[in-house]
Amino acid sequence: MKSLQVLTPNKKCIFDCPFCIAKGHKHNNDFVNNYENNYLKWESNLIKILKENKDLKNIVITGTNEPIQDIKCIKDIVRITRKYRSDINIELQTRYYKYDKVFDLIDVVAFSVSDYKLLKKVVKTKNITRIVVILTDNFNNKTLTDIIKQFDQRIEQLTFKIIQDSNGYNKKLDTWIDKHKANDETINNLKKQIINYNGNISIMFDETCMDSTNRYMVFREDGNLYKDFYEVK
Ligand code: SF4
């Protein structure tokens, strides 16, 4: 396992993104919250995973809501990881664009942005900053140059993500995505422009972020390890 997605405990998200894949899981993110109810179990299981998986290179702090809603949990994950595996890179996925001191503890802060106008709101963090463009129709007809010009030029990384639907489970979600995903022409043009880009920003295109195979596993608030975001024990 190269990467571990560590989830902060589920709660109602302060945002209500219409494309939120967390709303598209059959388990409805309903897991026992051992982070709060049985902390020692949660912590000892995380330590065990860190110690046993020597090939683990990356921890990604994320959630089924905005992880910044649980700064204490973020700090605990960072503290434990630094103590037992100081070699591991720690990433935080967020759409909270105001600077928070907790960003200083993180190696890579990845800000999701689904609206072209919001690109300029992303703050440069102390270490590496990544912008993750969620390809909604808001980006239709925008070029790579248009997008890069919008944000702080000190930002080091840029990832484009195709929106993933729930494969029929959440009809409202899937209908919205079908109507509001970026058009093929925009996506194809961006892919060509990325190939020809020779600037300083590291750029990636991610078409399969929910496919965990050979990529990552998931550690939930119940203190258990899952093979992906869909599995229920
Ligand atoms: S911030 Fe993330 S978890 Fe919250 S609604 Fe948006 S996509 Fe879903």
Side-chain angles (χ1 to χ4, degrees):
M1 173 179 31
K2 291 201 171 63
S3 181
L4 180 67
Q5 306 263 331
V6 182
L7 271 58
T8 54
N10 176 247
K11 54 184 77 166
K12 189 171 168 23
C13 189
I14 48 170
F15 301 111
D16 188 19
C17 309
F19 49 82
C20 176
I21 194 60
K23 297 173 190 160
H25 294 139
K26 282 187 188 147
H27 50 55
N28 288 324
N29 310 307
D30 189 13
F31 294 83
V32 175
N33 184 355
N34 281 327
Y35 172 72
E36 277 168 23
N37 300 329
N38 191 348
Y39 180 80
L40 287 180
K41 175 182 175 182
W42 178 89
E43 186 188 59
S44 63
N45 283 1
L46 180 57
I47 293 169
K48 190 163 175 275
I49 292 166
L50 293 171
K51 283 183 172 173
E52 285 180 357
N53 292 276
K54 300 284 182 221
D55 57 340
L56 191 56
K57 302 263 185 293
N58 214 31
I59 290 275
V60 180
I61 304 173
T62 184
T64 45
N65 55 282
E66 167 56 55
I68 284 288
Q69 288 176 255
D70 209 332
I71 287 180
K72 182 176 173 301
C73 184
I74 294 175
K75 286 182 178 168
D76 282 331
I77 296 163
V78 172
R79 177 181 49 77
I80 295 163
T81 306
R82 298 283 188 229
K83 180 169 178 190
Y84 292 93
R85 288 289 304 275
S86 59
D87 58 312
I88 286 182
N89 184 64
I90 303 179
E91 180 179 320
L92 172 69
Q93 294 185 335
T94 182
R95 45 188 311 119
Y96 192 82
Y97 307 140
K98 281 190 204 146
Y99 205 92
D100 191 286
K101 278 189 291 189
V102 80
F103 293 159
D104 294 350
L105 307 176
I106 308 288
D107 298 313
V108 181
V109 182
F111 295 95
S112 300
V113 183
S114 56
D115 183 333
Y116 179 72
K117 293 189 292 300
L118 294 179
L119 287 167
K120 53 173 151 326
K121 297 243 176 214
V122 173
V123 285
K124 174 72 186 95
T125 53
K126 186 177 159 201
N127 298 311
I128 292 176
T129 311
R130 180 185 307 146
I131 288 182
V132 180
V133 169
I134 311 292
L135 282 164
T136 62
D137 53 359
N138 208 273
F139 288 90
N140 277 352
N141 307 318
K142 300 295 183 207
T143 65
L144 182 61
T145 309
D146 294 333
I147 290 167
I148 289 174
K149 268 194 207 155
Q150 285 294 305
F151 57 78
D152 186 327
Q153 295 304 297
R154 294 169 301 161
I155 287 172
E156 297 92 342
Q157 298 182 354
L158 175 62
T159 295
F160 289 91
K161 251 186 200 179
I162 301 279
I163 318 179
Q164 308 276 303
D165 68 18
S166 72
N167 204 12
Y169 174 67
N170 182 333
K171 296 237 172 339
K172 191 175 163 203
L173 175 76
D174 292 358
T175 305
W176 192 95
I177 290 171
D178 204 38
K179 204 166 158 205
H180 292 285
K181 62 188 177 193
N183 62 34
D184 290 346
E185 194 187 351
T186 301
I187 291 172
N188 291 335
N189 285 339
L190 283 169
K191 283 181 180 170
K192 283 185 210 146
Q193 291 154 10
I194 291 168
I195 292 169
N196 294 320
Y197 173 76
N198 60 5
N200 294 328
I201 302 168
S202 166
I203 307 180
M204 271 186 57
F205 208 99
D206 186 356
E207 304 202 41
T208 56
C209 62
M210 295 306 286
D211 180 6
S212 65
T213 318
N214 298 324
R215 293 178 80 180
Y216 61 79
M217 291 184 79
V218 177
F219 182 76
R220 289 191 179 273
E221 63 264 47
D222 61 0
N224 288 323
L225 191 60
Y226 294 82
K227 70 174 168 38
D228 56 29
F229 282 100
Y230 307 101
E231 191 185 16
V232 181
K233 290 251 186 259

